[in-house]
Amino acid sequence: MSAPRLAALCATLAALLCACKDTNPQQPPAVEVKRKDELPKWLTPIDRVDPAYWLAARKSGGAPVDEGRAERLRAALEVGAAHFLESPRMLANRAAQLADMMAEIGAAEDEAESIESLARVAAATGSKQTFGDLCQHYFNLRKQGATRDAALADLRERYSAQNRGQ
């Protein structure tokens, strides 16, 4: 085979490989889950489940998942990724844990709302924060009787002090 034909063949193969490549490596594939008991309790690094899909399936009790809810959770995880040190997988795990803890004290909250609200607290610091720490502080305040708004205001005040101290 001549050099120009070989070069053309290589270029064609490269183009085909690029076309087959996953165009969104950030988002793992959503594995269809039929029943809640098929859902992993927590997402591990080897689970091939989209964290937003997992949160939505967990809330709905399994498949089918409301795609609008999954999109809302994806957007919240994206906001969270901008303000927290954890990966979307860990954000999803912590949001699920917080939702469970809040339900246990009779104050159920939406995971997407929790992520977005705590991201606003983190944004006030001017640097990335640890979502798990913020979740625990928020839960402690709520368990002590603070309303949602009061707990978030308290956290904003405490965490924004980090920004003033620099």
Side-chain angles (χ1 to χ4, degrees):
M1 183 176 291
S2 68
R5 290 185 88 191
L6 183 59
L9 179 61
C10 287
T12 303
L13 287 173
L16 287 172
L17 286 173
C18 286
C20 294
K21 184 179 171 188
D22 185 4
T23 58
N24 190 359
Q26 297 286 333
Q27 183 177 319
V31 175
E32 187 72 15
V33 177
K34 300 295 182 202
R35 298 183 332 260
K36 187 170 185 157
D37 62 351
E38 291 179 350
L39 286 170
K41 177 136 174 88
W42 305 111
L43 293 179
T44 67
I46 61 170
D47 287 323
R48 293 179 39 91
V49 177
D50 170 26
Y53 177 92
W54 175 77
L55 277 171
R58 185 178 181 278
K59 187 83 162 194
S60 71
V65 168
D66 175 0
E67 191 52 41
R69 171 130 175 87
E71 281 302 316
R72 169 101 165 77
L73 287 160
R74 266 185 214 100
L77 289 169
E78 197 171 302
V79 167
H83 298 288
F84 297 114
L85 297 169
E86 293 94 337
S87 68
R89 176 187 64 82
M90 284 306 299
L91 291 175
N93 281 336
R94 294 290 171 251
Q97 184 180 36
L98 178 61
D100 289 349
M101 292 178 353
M102 295 300 295
E104 287 174 11
I105 63 168
E109 291 193 11
D110 178 71
E111 294 90 340
E113 237 177 80
S114 295
I115 295 166
E116 291 165 347
S117 297
L118 293 174
R120 285 190 290 277
V121 170
T125 69
S127 61
K128 285 195 172 195
Q129 299 296 314
T130 306
F131 185 61
D133 288 348
L134 259 171
C135 286
Q136 190 61 54
H137 292 157
Y138 176 75
F139 175 74
N140 290 344
L141 290 168
R142 293 299 310 273
K143 190 173 180 182
Q144 293 166 3
T147 65
R148 182 177 197 287
D149 290 339
L152 290 169
D154 185 308
L155 290 172
R156 263 190 303 279
E157 178 62 30
R158 286 189 213 187
Y159 276 77
S160 63
Q162 293 177 10
N163 199 13
R164 290 190 299 262
Q166 295 177 4

